[in-house]
Amino acid sequence: MSGIVTLFSIGLLGASTLFLLVAILVVLWFARKIRQPNLLDQLPSMTILKPICGLEERLEENLCSFCDQDFPAYQIIFAVQDRRDPAIPIIKKVISKFPDKDLSLTVNERVHGKNLKASNLVNMFEKARHDIIVVADSDVRVKRDYLKSIATPFFNNNVAAATCLYSGAGDRNLASRLGVMFMNDWFLPSALISAFFVDLKYCFGATMAIRRDVLNKIGGFEALTNFLADDYMLGKAVVKQGYKVALVPYIVENIVSESNLKSLFYHELRWARTIRSVQPKGYTMSFITEAFPISILTGMFIYLYSSSLAWTILPIITTLTLRITLHCIVQKNLARSAVYTPWLIPARDLFTLGVRIVSLFGRKVRWRGQTMIVCKEGRLSPLFKQSSKKTKKIGTQNEKDTASQPTYV
């Protein structure tokens, strides 16, 4: 029996090793695509929607990077839902820095669903003037060629949406560094492997662009307001209409700022349970990406079976070598702010395993001050059922929110 278990663990380790090798190759492939020059002469006009909620790390710098684009015609709409949001003074400061740009701020308290980001998008879309709509998170920054790169796929009439991968940056503390490693060492390679072998059927939230007419066909941003994975559902809806989602050969930089390891844990648990809700089979199969924990498990079974210390250590050393190689290649080729921290790989991978295990037991997530249940396809529902009396009060508040008038600055 122990021999069968050992063989099974060796087979699992083989799959993990293959994953790491393929990940290294696809990272190099995508890095080569990024380096190819953009030769477009005519460029479509675009509207960038920037939903903002509170103060993000380096918010002013992030927003300014979108305002300084080497692009002929574009509009940026910043939006918050709370008139007391502390980000408002920074947004106004950014707008004043670029008086020649088409920039505006919307403050609108209307709530359209449980996903407050998507609700914010509904509010600001009213002011969008151009036919290609770009949604970009407030915690990312870009370079001046960002919009040119996004525009390229839309010259193919079969493409109705485009999206970008993102790398992490941030060295505020240990938690932030581990968060950066999750994005760079796990998310980026995994997403690239999927995109290399199959057509993309979803978007990534850091940047997603869509044609206005197709957005209207799928029901607008209103169709996303009760889903946690609004990016996934947007891409899925586009594909359902018979169009393609293009992966832009461009990496945006996501600023990671975690206050502590507990904050990081809940952040990644939300990601994990969201992915599990929309891709349950894929999430289960992605266990092979836990290469370092699998190598430790395999080494333990080998030792119990053979008592050979050399054969016990071999899979662990081999896996660590490949993990370090992948880490360094991603940092060199894809990360906007390359920070090499290979000594954190064991801690990072064991932390990931812990998040994965906990994600299997429950569907509760914490997001923007709310505690919600993630149901099938990432649909959000309240943690507790409301009594009829309570529901009536909430409904009255929603009617008040819907009736409130937006403010345009």
Side-chain angles (χ1 to χ4, degrees):
M1 183 67 179
S2 61
I4 295 175
V5 174
T6 302
L7 287 174
F8 176 79
S9 66
I10 291 174
L12 195 60
L13 179 64
S16 295
T17 302
L18 180 61
F19 164 79
L20 290 174
L21 290 171
V22 174
I24 290 169
L25 293 175
V26 296
V27 166
L28 293 173
W29 159 76
F30 196 70
R32 184 177 178 182
K33 290 190 68 175
I34 290 176
R35 288 191 290 267
Q36 293 175 355
N38 190 320
L39 302 176
L40 290 178
D41 293 325
Q42 296 181 337
L43 295 168
S45 56
M46 294 185 173
T47 292
I48 302 176
L49 305 182
K50 296 286 290 186
I52 299 171
C53 180
L55 293 175
E56 301 278 2
E57 187 82 6
R58 304 176 190 175
L59 179 62
E60 182 177 345
E61 183 181 347
N62 296 343
L63 300 184
C64 284
S65 71
F66 285 83
C67 300
D68 186 28
Q69 288 294 303
D70 181 18
F71 202 78
Y74 65 99
Q75 169 196 23
I76 302 181
I77 305 171
F78 305 104
V80 298
Q81 289 186 297
D82 189 342
R83 298 173 188 274
R84 297 165 297 178
D85 195 302
I88 290 177
I90 292 179
I91 297 169
K92 290 182 176 179
K93 181 180 178 181
V94 170
I95 292 175
S96 67
K97 282 185 175 182
F98 300 90
D100 58 328
K101 301 291 186 178
D102 185 1
L103 313 177
S104 62
L105 167 63
T106 297
V107 182
N108 193 330
E109 297 177 351
R110 287 182 295 178
V111 176
H112 303 271
K114 300 177 182 68
N115 184 324
L116 297 182
K117 173 188 171 182
S119 181
N120 208 356
L121 291 174
V122 173
N123 293 337
M124 69 177 86
F125 183 64
E126 298 172 359
K127 286 190 67 182
R129 290 195 300 272
H130 301 306
D131 289 333
I132 294 181
I133 310 299
V134 181
V135 179
D137 285 347
S138 58
D139 59 353
V140 300
R141 72 177 69 162
V142 295
K143 292 187 176 180
R144 298 191 74 234
D145 60 343
Y146 168 73
L147 283 182
K148 279 188 176 179
S149 300
I150 297 238
T152 304
F154 288 100
F155 284 88
N156 181 345
N157 292 330
N158 293 325
V159 172
T163 190
C164 294
L165 293 170
Y166 51 92
S167 66
D171 56 0
R172 177 179 176 181
N173 50 28
L174 176 62
S176 298
R177 290 183 180 183
L178 290 176
V180 168
M181 291 181 71
F182 174 80
M183 290 184 184
N184 295 353
D185 292 13
W186 188 86
F187 163 72
L188 267 175
S190 299
L192 282 173
I193 288 176
S194 177
F196 183 83
F197 288 104
V198 297
D199 290 336
L200 201 60
K201 296 181 180 179
Y202 46 86
C203 294
F204 302 107
T207 286
M208 45 189 185
I210 185 169
R211 298 183 191 273
R212 178 189 288 269
D213 58 338
V214 178
L215 179 61
N216 291 333
K217 283 182 181 179
I218 66 175
F221 291 116
E222 290 88 346
L224 310 176
T225 54
N226 286 315
F227 293 93
L228 179 57
D230 51 90
D231 47 359
Y232 179 90
M233 298 308 297
L234 180 70
K236 182 179 178 180
V238 167
V239 172
K240 192 174 181 179
Q241 290 290 328
Y243 296 98
K244 291 185 177 181
V245 177
L247 179 62
V248 180
Y250 191 91
I251 302 288
V252 302
E253 187 174 59
N254 186 293
I255 307 302
V256 179
S257 179
E258 299 289 352
S259 56
N260 50 48
L261 291 175
K262 182 179 179 180
S263 168
L264 176 66
F265 179 84
Y266 281 117
H267 198 166
E268 294 187 4
L269 182 63
R270 173 167 61 85
W271 285 340
R273 286 181 170 166
T274 301
I275 296 171
R276 178 178 158 226
S277 71
V278 297
Q279 293 182 311
K281 292 181 180 178
Y283 185 70
T284 301
M285 293 299 295
S286 69
F287 180 75
I288 65 167
T289 64
E290 312 290 351
F292 179 64
I294 289 174
S295 73
I296 294 176
L297 187 65
T298 303
M300 290 172 55
F301 283 124
I302 289 176
Y303 184 77
L304 291 173
Y305 183 74
S306 66
S307 299
S308 171
L309 187 60
W311 284 104
T312 298
I313 296 175
L314 181 62
I316 300 174
I317 297 299
T318 302
T319 300
L320 272 177
T321 301
L322 289 173
R323 277 289 287 110
I324 291 171
T325 301
L326 176 61
H327 172 80
C328 292
I329 287 177
V330 170
Q331 292 302 310
K332 180 180 179 181
N333 292 277
L334 297 186
R336 292 282 191 186
S337 301
V339 178
Y340 297 88
T341 53
W343 54 87
L344 289 177
I345 286 175
R348 173 62 266 183
D349 288 10
L350 291 173
F351 191 89
T352 304
L353 178 64
V355 172
R356 179 182 291 274
I357 292 172
V358 174
S359 73
L360 300 175
F361 300 95
R363 294 177 290 132
K364 184 171 68 174
V365 297
R366 298 181 182 182
W367 187 47
R368 291 193 175 186
Q370 303 177 94
T371 301
M372 310 290 287
I373 297 294
V374 185
C375 302
K376 187 177 180 181
E377 293 190 328
R379 186 179 293 275
L380 291 167
S381 67
L383 181 59
F384 301 106
K385 291 184 178 180
Q386 307 288 348
S387 67
S388 57
K389 184 177 180 181
K390 184 82 171 180
T391 303
K392 185 176 181 181
K393 289 183 178 180
I394 292 174
T396 303
Q397 180 63 42
N398 284 344
E399 289 170 6
K400 181 180 178 182
D401 290 336
T402 303
S404 62
Q405 295 299 315
T407 302
Y408 299 125
V409 180

